[in-house]
Amino acid sequence: KQEVTQIPAALSVPEGENLVLNCSFTDSAIYNLQWFRQDPGKGLTSLLLIQSSQREQTSGRLNASLDKSSGRSTLYIAASQPGDSATYLCAVQDDYKLSFGAGTTVTVRA
Amino acid sequence: GAVVSQHPSRVICKSGTSVKIECRSLDFQATTMFWYRQFPKQSLMLMATSNEGSKATYEQGVEKDKFLINHASLTLSTLTVTSAHPEDSSFYICSAREGMANEKLFFGSGTQLSVL
C-alpha cells in the first residue's frame, strides 16, 4: 500500500523567503506525482504535475523535482508572498488512484 | 483547462436525512470519477472509484450502502450520503479523469457536509 509523507507539517516564513516542501512515497511504481494547493474549506488547485519519466516541472515561481528511485519530491516556491499561505498537498498516482500526503500548512508573514 | 463542477459547496442537514452531492465534468467526458473524504488537518482519503455505466469500486472500510455512488453518464457522478449522522460530517471532494490512468485528474471545489 502506498504511503505518502510530507515534511514539515507546518511552516512559517517571512515574506520573500524561499519555501522548500518535501514529499516522500514508499512505492516507486507511480504514473505521476502532483502538487496541489488547498485553501481552508476549499477544494484543490493543481499546481504541477510531474510524469514518472520526468525529473522536474516549473511554473512561474514554482519548481517541483521528482526522484522516483528514492521516492522523493520537493516543491520549491521562490520569493514567497502572503498569498502563498495555504496547505500544499502532494499526491502520487499509481495504477488508477491518487494517494495523498497529509499536507504542509504554509504561513507567509508580511 | 478542464473544469469539474461540484455542488452544493456546503450543506447542513439533520441526522437521519440523506444528502446528495453532484459532480459534473463541464467540458470533457469523464470516463472515471473518484470520491474523496477529508477530515480536518488530515489527508484526502479515497472512498470509491466509479466508471460510467458500472458499479462503483469502494475502498476498504467504506460502507457502500451508506455512501451510494451513481455514475450514470460521462459527465455526472453523484454521491448520496444515506441516513446521515454527525460522524459523516466531513469535506467531500470529487475528481474526474478523461482518459488513461496516467492522465491528470481534475477536482471539484468540494462539499462541506455538517450533520446536526
Side-chain angles (χ1 to χ4, degrees):
Chain A
K1 182 189 171 191
Q2 181 74 265
E3 301 281 347
V4 182
T5 304
Q6 288 187 248
I7 294 173
L11 189 58
S12 179
V13 299
E15 184 176 3
E17 193 165 301
N18 296 333
L19 290 163
V20 180
L21 309 180
N22 297 298
C23 173
S24 61
F25 47 96
T26 55
D27 187 346
S28 61
I30 63 171
Y31 285 146
N32 60 50
L33 182 144
Q34 279 187 266
W35 282 94
F36 296 90
R37 171 185 171 135
Q38 186 176 32
D39 293 285
K42 300 289 180 63
L44 303 178
T45 301
S46 180
L47 299 174
L48 291 167
L49 169 72
I50 312 176
Q51 297 290 356
S52 63
S53 58
Q54 297 175 320
R55 299 283 292 184
E56 68 175 338
Q57 279 287 329
T58 298
S59 175
R61 294 184 294 113
L62 277 59
N63 174 276
S65 65
L66 173 64
D67 184 341
K68 201 173 70 163
S69 61
S70 67
R72 295 178 191 274
S73 176
T74 302
L75 177 66
Y76 301 89
I77 303 177
S80 61
Q81 303 168 358
D84 295 328
S85 298
T87 296
Y88 292 83
L89 299 169
C90 77
V92 294
Q93 186 166 353
D94 47 20
D95 197 4
Y96 63 92
K97 66 181 183 181
L98 283 179
S99 299
F100 284 85
T104 295
T105 299
V106 171
T107 303
V108 180
R109 308 187 301 273
Chain B
V3 176
V4 174
S5 173
Q6 181 176 344
H7 82 267
S9 58
R10 182 174 181 86
V11 57
I12 301 172
C13 68
K14 292 182 179 180
S15 185
T17 61
S18 294
V19 175
K20 181 184 283 188
I21 302 170
E22 291 189 350
C23 180
R24 293 180 185 274
S25 57
L26 297 186
D27 51 3
F28 68 99
Q29 294 187 322
T31 53
T32 308
M33 286 188 170
F34 305 87
W35 287 94
Y36 296 83
R37 181 175 184 177
Q38 185 180 34
F39 292 104
K41 299 188 185 298
Q42 295 188 29
S43 61
L44 279 76
M45 298 299 295
L46 179 65
M47 299 174 65
T49 303
S50 71
N51 294 295
E52 184 265 338
S54 61
K55 288 185 178 179
T57 302
Y58 290 81
E59 295 299 302
Q60 191 172 9
V62 178
E63 301 175 59
K64 60 182 180 182
D65 294 330
K66 159 69 94 173
F67 300 100
L68 299 180
I69 291 172
N70 184 285
H71 191 167
S73 78
L74 284 171
T75 59
L76 174 64
S77 177
T78 59
L79 168 67
T80 301
V81 183
T82 61
S83 186
H85 289 96
E87 58 266 30
D88 298 325
S89 298
S90 187
F91 192 62
Y92 295 87
I93 302 179
C94 71
S95 69
R97 183 179 68 217
E98 183 172 17
M100 303 296 289
N102 62 342
E103 290 191 15
K104 194 173 181 178
L105 292 178
F106 298 94
F107 285 80
S109 54
T111 298
Q112 182 66 54
L113 171 63
S114 300
V115 184
L116 304 178

